[in-house]
Amino acid sequence: MNRNLVRALLLAGLALGFGAGSFRYSIGDLSDAGPGLFPLMISALLLAVSIMMIVRSRYESAVPLEIGMKRISLVLGGLIGFVLVSKAVGVIGGIVALVFVTALAGKSYSWRRNLQVSIALIAVAFALQSLLGLNIGLY
């Protein structure tokens, strides 16, 4: 199976799903936009990109599709770990657990890079909490 075609079809499905969901809200028009207009516009652009990817995949040589179950399991495990650690010790610990576990799915592993990414994400979480007033339970 062609990996590029599968990616394009999944992207098209995602665009159609969000586009269909936007019709549950009022669309309005460009001068008086409703809450469904923005997701509809974004999904339309995403659908256009996916159609271009489908066409391009028909003219390029096929790239075989490989499903790496180990990588998928590590990413899902990182997400589950984020939830469990966040409930136990707070979002800061969850972020660190998420970064270090999901990094195992990559081709290379660097604890320094993981630490830098963790610090950057924690800084973003603090910014969201202090600037936007979100209560995300950092501690």
Side-chain angles (χ1 to χ4, degrees):
M1 194 164 231
N2 187 350
R3 178 175 63 189
N4 295 331
L5 179 61
V6 171
R7 284 180 180 171
L9 291 173
L10 287 174
L11 191 63
L14 186 70
L16 289 172
F18 278 102
S22 69
F23 287 110
R24 290 186 296 176
Y25 304 102
S26 169
I27 302 295
D29 55 26
L30 291 177
S31 64
D32 185 26
L37 184 62
F38 181 72
L40 181 64
M41 290 174 53
I42 296 299
S43 63
L45 290 173
L46 194 60
L47 183 61
V49 168
S50 64
I51 289 171
M52 288 187 281
M53 288 172 62
I54 291 170
V55 170
R56 192 174 93 184
S57 73
R58 305 306 286 162
Y59 293 105
E60 292 179 346
S61 59
V63 179
L65 177 65
E66 298 174 11
I67 298 176
M69 290 307 294
K70 178 183 175 188
R71 290 182 175 172
I72 293 171
S73 299
L74 285 168
V75 171
L76 288 175
L79 292 170
I80 292 169
F82 171 76
V83 171
L84 295 176
V85 173
S86 293
K87 287 187 179 218
V89 297
V91 173
I92 292 175
I95 288 172
V96 173
L98 173 71
V99 170
F100 277 84
V101 171
T102 56
L104 293 169
K107 294 185 191 276
S108 65
Y109 189 86
S110 168
W111 68 270
R112 287 185 180 161
R113 182 186 64 222
N114 295 344
L115 187 60
Q116 291 169 344
V117 170
S118 296
I119 291 170
L121 290 175
I122 291 168
V124 168
F126 271 110
L128 288 173
Q129 185 171 0
S130 63
L131 297 175
L132 297 178
L134 298 177
N135 184 12
I136 54 179
L138 290 175
Y139 303 109

